């Protein structure tokens, strides 16, 4: 089954889509695709068949998002916690992922036509090497596409992602790329796996569970959260429309909260910079207070220097991550 589904909406769906798109639309939607196993039990199918139906529904949902002009989708495909399931189920899920990413490589022309960029977020080192390699090829093959984006969270949990971001900042300090005083909430955001994406506007969880299950905890602090009772393989265009209506009803309050948060972040950064400058000037002046003009000049100089350090660090971090994927592709060629 193809990742990229062709086909138009039916007449009623088109009319509904046009009405929806007259209002504010989410640009980035995240899905916790829950309910595959319960669907299989309900339909008396094998668990593997339930997961297969779940993938088919993802492909269909991506088509709906395309018609609704939603350019970015993030899906929770495989949690680190899933490794605790039975070996048979874990092996089945990894085999399914292997098949689907191999199929993705066969769709290069279609992906290029639609400008689809595939990103995989998580610790790929937890996966079998052959699966790492096929994922890396898909990521590298589509990295320059920029019309729409699919982020697949695989071997992922949010707490692991945040912990890894802290490790990356510690690495930056150890390498002398940044100072400990440069560490901030904003910098941590830039060190997350999802740093190339805006935060989701809308997060949808299916199957009736009302929890985030360690998914995008940092990124969804100012997102609209919608919990729906439908099992993921039974998800419909109308379920998606219902979730978007919930987003539209809450759009103003979400935007206001985001703006307030941006202002708070800017104020926190200014206060941190001022504290660093005050300490520096105090040492230089043997404890004597500096005049206002000198403080302002020092603050401007420090801010520029900090921003340059941070950008150099983020470039180094990007290079390190890009190299990980390109090396995996090189290993595939060599073997």
């Amino acid at each position: 089954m193809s990742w990229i589904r062709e086909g138009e909406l039916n007449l009623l769906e088109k009319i509904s889509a046009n009405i929806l798109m007259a209002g504010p639309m989410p640009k980035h939607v995240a899905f916790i695709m829950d309910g595959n196993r319960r669907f299989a039990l309900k339909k008396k199918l094998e668990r593997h068949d339930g997961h297969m139906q779940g993938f088919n529904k993802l492909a269909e949902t991506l088509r709906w998002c395309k018609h609704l002009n939603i350019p970015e989708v993030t899906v929770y495909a495989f949690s680190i916690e899933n490794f605790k399931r039975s070996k048979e189920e874990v092996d089945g899920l990894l085999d399914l992922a292997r098949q689907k990413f191999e199929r993705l490589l066969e769709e290069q022309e279609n992906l290029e036509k639609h400008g689809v960029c595939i990103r995989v977020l998580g610790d790929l080192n937890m996966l079998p090497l052959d699966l790492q390699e096929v994922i890396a090829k898909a990521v590298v093959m589509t990295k320059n596409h920029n019309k729409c984006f699919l982020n697949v969270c695989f071997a992922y949990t949010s707490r692991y992602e945040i912990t890894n971001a802290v490790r990356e900042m510690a690495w930056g300090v150890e390498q002398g790329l940044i100072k400990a005083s440069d560490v901030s909430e904003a910098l941590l955001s830039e060190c997350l796996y999802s740093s190339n994406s805006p935060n989701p506007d809308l997060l949808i969880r299916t199957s009736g569970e009302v929890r985030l299950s360690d998914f995008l905890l940092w990124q969804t602090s100012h997102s609209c959260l919608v919990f729906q009772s439908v099992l993921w393989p039974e998800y419909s265009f109308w379920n998606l429309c219902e979730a978007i209506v919930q987003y539209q009803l809450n759009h103003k309050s979400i935007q206001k909260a985001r703006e307030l948060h941006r202002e708070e972040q800017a104020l926190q950064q200014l206060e941190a910079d001022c504290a660093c400058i005050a300490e520096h000037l105090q040492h230089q002046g043997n404890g004597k207070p500096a005049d206002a003009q000198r403080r302002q000049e020092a603050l401007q100089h420090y801010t520029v220097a900090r921003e340059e350090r941070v950008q150099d660090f983020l470039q180094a971090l990007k290079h390190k991550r890009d190299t990980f994927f390109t090396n995996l592709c090189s290993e595939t060629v060599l073997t």
Side-chain angles (χ1 to χ4, degrees):
M1 183 65 66
S2 172
W3 286 67
I4 310 299
R5 292 275 188 92
E6 302 290 350
E8 297 296 320
L9 301 176
N10 65 40
L11 181 59
L12 184 56
E13 290 171 343
K14 282 183 181 178
I15 293 170
S16 301
N18 288 334
I19 293 170
L20 269 183
M21 289 189 289
M25 290 293 290
K27 298 299 182 185
H28 182 184
V29 178
F31 291 94
I32 300 177
M33 308 178 292
D34 197 17
N36 293 341
R37 295 195 294 176
R38 273 171 279 176
F39 173 80
L41 185 63
K42 176 182 172 181
K43 298 293 184 180
K44 296 181 171 56
L45 301 171
E46 295 293 329
R47 282 182 177 177
H48 178 79
D49 294 327
H51 293 305
M52 179 67 77
Q53 290 296 320
F55 173 80
N56 294 342
K57 183 56 62 178
L58 169 60
E60 192 172 13
T61 303
L62 293 176
R63 180 175 69 87
W64 298 331
C65 288
K66 175 177 171 288
H67 286 297
L68 289 165
N69 292 332
I70 298 170
E72 186 151 6
V73 171
T74 299
V75 296
Y76 204 2
F78 190 87
S79 166
I80 292 171
E81 294 298 310
N82 290 154
F83 282 113
K84 296 178 181 177
R85 294 182 181 180
S86 70
K87 185 179 185 303
E88 181 184 2
E89 185 174 1
V90 170
D91 288 346
L93 286 166
L94 297 181
D95 285 341
L96 179 61
R98 193 176 289 107
Q99 293 168 22
K100 296 309 176 185
F101 277 103
E102 285 172 352
R103 175 58 191 270
L104 188 68
L105 296 176
E106 297 170 6
E107 297 187 64
Q108 182 172 359
E109 188 176 329
N110 209 15
L111 291 166
E112 190 170 347
K113 171 187 169 184
H114 293 285
V116 180
C117 175
I118 305 292
R119 302 183 185 124
V120 179
L121 316 182
D123 188 350
L124 299 193
N125 289 306
M126 296 184 180
L127 304 175
L129 181 58
D130 64 327
L131 180 52
Q132 290 184 46
E133 290 171 350
V134 72
I135 287 174
K137 283 197 283 186
V139 169
V140 171
M141 181 180 77
T142 65
K143 68 179 182 179
N144 294 323
H145 299 171
N146 58 11
K147 290 182 183 175
C148 50
F149 303 88
L150 173 61
N151 307 310
V152 182
C153 292
F154 210 95
Y156 172 94
T157 64
S158 187
R159 285 176 293 181
Y160 189 94
E161 177 185 31
I162 294 167
T163 302
N164 183 70
V166 173
R167 288 196 197 101
E168 299 289 24
M169 291 188 293
W171 170 78
V173 173
E174 288 170 2
Q175 296 295 313
L177 296 168
I178 54 173
K179 297 180 179 180
S181 58
D182 297 332
V183 173
S184 66
E185 180 183 330
L187 183 57
L188 192 149
S189 294
E190 293 290 337
C191 294
L192 297 173
Y193 297 134
S194 62
S195 59
N196 290 320
S197 301
N199 290 336
D201 301 301
L202 171 63
L203 182 145
I204 298 168
R205 178 168 189 158
T206 57
S207 87
E209 295 290 342
V210 188
R211 52 195 170 88
L212 294 180
S213 295
D214 214 349
F215 179 57
L216 300 181
L217 301 180
W218 184 276
Q219 297 89 333
T220 56
S221 57
H222 300 104
S223 303
C224 179
L225 310 182
V226 176
F227 300 95
Q228 297 175 301
S229 59
V230 60
L231 300 177
W232 175 249
E234 297 175 325
Y235 203 70
S236 73
F237 176 78
W238 305 111
N239 294 130
L240 179 57
C241 289
E242 176 195 13
I244 292 171
V245 168
Q246 287 297 316
Y247 167 77
Q248 292 178 336
L249 291 172
N250 291 281
H251 178 258
K252 285 186 178 179
S253 62
I254 291 169
Q255 294 305 111
K256 184 178 180 180
R258 286 182 169 180
E259 184 58 37
L260 286 172
H261 182 248
R262 280 192 290 268
E263 291 174 3
E264 288 171 5
Q265 271 196 327
L267 181 60
Q268 287 172 5
Q269 186 63 68
L270 178 60
E271 290 174 347
D273 288 350
C274 287
C276 288
I277 285 303
E279 184 178 354
H280 177 69
L281 292 177
Q282 189 173 23
H283 285 307
Q284 277 194 335
N286 297 318
K288 296 177 182 179
D291 61 63
Q293 183 178 350
R294 188 181 171 204
R295 285 199 306 270
Q296 187 61 34
E297 289 172 353
L299 178 61
Q300 290 175 349
H301 177 76
Y302 179 84
T303 300
V304 169
R306 174 182 54 75
E307 289 174 351
E308 288 177 353
R309 283 195 304 273
V310 166
Q311 287 307 310
D312 288 345
F313 161 65
L314 292 176
Q315 283 296 318
L317 180 57
K318 180 180 184 300
H319 177 73
K320 183 171 75 163
R321 291 177 173 178
D322 288 347
T323 301
F324 173 79
F325 284 105
T326 52
N327 285 347
L328 278 173
C329 291
S330 300
E331 286 178 25
T332 306
V333 172
L334 290 172
T335 54

